């Protein structure tokens, strides 16, 4: 189930993915750094989206985005 023996490969070929049978020793830290970057970008996109979200026709029942959308937070603050 290993896919066969590892055959000799050309050493002069460069590949952005690492080439044949790559297993970098720092794969865990690379994965962690990448995930932190992805989460930071997603958080930024989430905040921009929540600031700019407006509903021209108000929903007839509560929806999840009402918890974080700027439009509904301002309405809730005016009511209180």
């Amino acid at each position: 189930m290993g896919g066969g023996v590892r055959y000799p490969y050309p050493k002069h070929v460069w590949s952005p993915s690492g080439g044949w049978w790559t297993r970098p020793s720092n794969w865990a830290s690379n994965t962690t750094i990448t995930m932190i970057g992805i989460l930071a970008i997603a958080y930024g996109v989430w905040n921009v989206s929540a600031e700019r979200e407006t509903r021209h026709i108000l929903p007839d029942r509560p929806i999840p985005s009402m918890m974080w959308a700027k439009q509904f937070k301002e309405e809730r603050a005016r009511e209180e």
Side-chain angles (χ1 to χ4, degrees), residues 17 22 27 29 32 37 40-41 43 48 50 53 58 61 64 66-67 71 74-75 78-79:
S17 63
T22 182
W27 70 268
S29 63
T32 303
I41 291 169
Y43 179 74
V48 169
E53 178 180 350
L58 295 178
R61 63 186 187 289
M66 292 174 89
M67 291 185 281
Q71 175 186 10
E74 289 173 354
E75 285 181 14
R78 274 188 251 132
E79 289 175 1

Side-chain angles (χ1 to χ4, degrees), residues 12-33:
H12 63 277
V13 176
W14 180 84
S15 168
S17 63
W20 287 267
W21 307 299
T22 182
R23 183 61 134 192
S25 59
N26 60 343
W27 70 268
S29 63
N30 288 347
T31 303
T32 303
I33 291 168

